[in-house]
């Protein structure tokens, strides 16, 4: 959202989001797929688990099965996405891979994996037709956890993000990187729920100590009274 406000007109941003959403939904409908939230012990090897899940799919006759990490949330937490058969295999064998908790997410597809490749070209084409400016504030891409440097950089990584894992944990480290002795900034989470704050606490306890949650609905109710 910060990218859109700082870099292009809101109406054009909504159009790009619409094209992206429709293309991703179409890709989701092509293959039975989903996303699995996983909490693991320190011994957990997520990539090895994905490898064995793909081999299981191949034994079922599935060609070129997909099962890969789609979100790096915080230490010991990942989201794995891909063919439904692969995710079911991981749930059934959770103890073998040192997974302490697994939960299917209520989504329609394996977002941020190669199964979303059909959505890449439609988004790339619409972004080519939109003028994008360099952000007025520092904005970090969750593709690589680094700051956007220029408009072409934004265009390229927004497309890549469709099929790349969300590097949330790595991005949090980049955002809050400070020289020793430097004070941490205040962080505000706006909206319902405190999920981002909970993740921040796992990633960076020092930053979380200056975290605050702002419930927009509560503020509106207070203003009405």
């Amino acid at each position: 959202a910060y990218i859109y406000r700082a870099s292009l007109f809101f109406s054009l941003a909504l159009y790009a989001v619409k094209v992206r959403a429709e293309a991703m939904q179409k890709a989701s409908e092509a293959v039975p797929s989903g996303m699995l939230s996983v909490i693991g012990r320190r011994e957990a090897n997520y990539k090895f688990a994905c490898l064995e899940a793909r081999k299981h799919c191949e034994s079922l006759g599935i060609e070129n099965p997909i099962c890969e990490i789609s979100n790096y949330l915080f230490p010991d937490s990942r989201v794995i996405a891909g063919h439904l058969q692969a995710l079911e295999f991981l749930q059934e064998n959770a103890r073998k891979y040192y997974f302490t908790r697994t939960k299917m997410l209520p989504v329609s597809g394996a977002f941020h994996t190669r199964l979303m490749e059909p959505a890449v070209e439609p988004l790339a084409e619409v972004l080519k037709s939109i003028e994008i400016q360099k952000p007025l504030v520092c904005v970090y891409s969750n593709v690589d956890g680094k700051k956007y440097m220029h408009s072409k950089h934004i265009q390229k990584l927004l497309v890549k993000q469709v099929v790349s894992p969300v590097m949330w944990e790595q991005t949090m480290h980049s955002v809050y990187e400070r020289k020793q002795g430097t004070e941490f900034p205040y962080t505000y989470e706006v909206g319902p729920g405190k999920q981002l704050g909970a993740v921040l606490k796992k990633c960076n306890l020092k930053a979380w100590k200056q975290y605050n949650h702002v419930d927009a609905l509560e503020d509106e109710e207070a203003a009405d009274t």
Side-chain angles (χ1 to χ4, degrees):
Y2 288 111
I3 296 171
Y4 299 147
R5 284 199 295 270
S7 302
L8 52 91
F9 289 113
F10 184 65
S11 58
L12 295 176
L14 289 181
Y15 176 63
V17 170
K18 177 177 182 292
V19 170
R20 179 181 185 270
E22 291 175 346
M24 292 176 72
Q25 180 60 35
K26 187 175 181 180
S28 298
E29 294 169 356
V31 177
S33 59
M35 304 179 79
L36 181 71
S37 175
V38 176
I39 302 292
R41 291 163 54 184
R42 290 188 177 183
E43 302 94 325
N45 187 327
Y46 303 95
K47 291 186 178 180
F48 176 71
C50 289
L51 174 62
E52 293 212 327
R54 290 195 297 271
K55 289 182 178 179
H56 169 72
C57 287
E58 290 173 350
S59 73
L60 299 178
I62 299 174
E63 296 183 3
N64 301 317
I66 302 296
C67 182
E68 54 199 48
I69 299 172
S70 62
N71 295 69
Y72 292 81
L73 295 176
F74 55 85
D76 303 324
S77 177
R78 304 284 186 273
V79 174
I80 296 174
H83 282 79
L84 281 180
Q85 295 89 336
L87 304 183
E88 291 167 355
F89 172 83
L90 292 178
Q91 282 191 298
E92 293 168 1
N93 295 275
R95 292 183 64 183
K96 175 182 178 181
Y97 302 115
Y98 301 103
F99 297 163
T100 58
R101 190 180 75 184
T102 61
K103 181 181 179 181
M104 289 294 297
L105 298 180
V107 296
S108 59
F111 303 124
H112 306 294
T113 72
R114 287 173 288 151
L115 285 174
M116 291 294 109
E117 284 181 353
V120 167
E121 190 59 30
L123 179 60
E125 286 301 314
V126 74
L127 289 176
K128 287 179 183 177
S129 67
I130 296 175
E131 182 180 0
I132 301 176
Q133 303 292 332
K134 181 179 178 180
L136 298 176
V137 296
C138 292
V139 180
Y140 293 76
S141 168
N142 58 35
V143 172
D144 57 11
K146 299 178 181 179
K147 297 176 185 178
Y148 286 111
M149 303 305 294
H150 48 76
S151 59
K152 290 294 183 182
H153 192 210
I154 295 173
Q155 185 182 66
K156 177 182 177 180
L157 291 184
L158 284 180
V159 173
K160 189 175 180 181
Q161 198 249 10
V162 173
V163 292
S164 300
V166 174
M167 312 292 279
W168 189 262
E169 179 183 347
Q170 295 84 342
T171 303
M172 290 295 94
H173 291 320
S174 296
V175 168
Y176 293 102
E177 184 177 8
R178 296 287 187 278
K179 293 182 179 179
Q180 189 171 3
T182 303
E183 185 177 357
F184 277 83
Y186 286 95
T187 299
Y188 298 92
E189 179 176 358
V190 181
K194 301 179 181 180
Q195 293 89 343
L196 297 181
V199 173
L200 177 60
K201 185 177 182 180
K202 296 283 188 179
C203 292
N204 194 316
L205 185 58
K206 288 184 178 180
W208 177 79
K209 289 180 178 178
Q210 298 203 111
Y211 158 88
N212 289 283
H213 173 251
V214 179
D215 192 322
L217 293 178
E218 288 183 0
D219 288 352
E220 288 180 3
E221 291 173 358
D224 291 339
T225 57

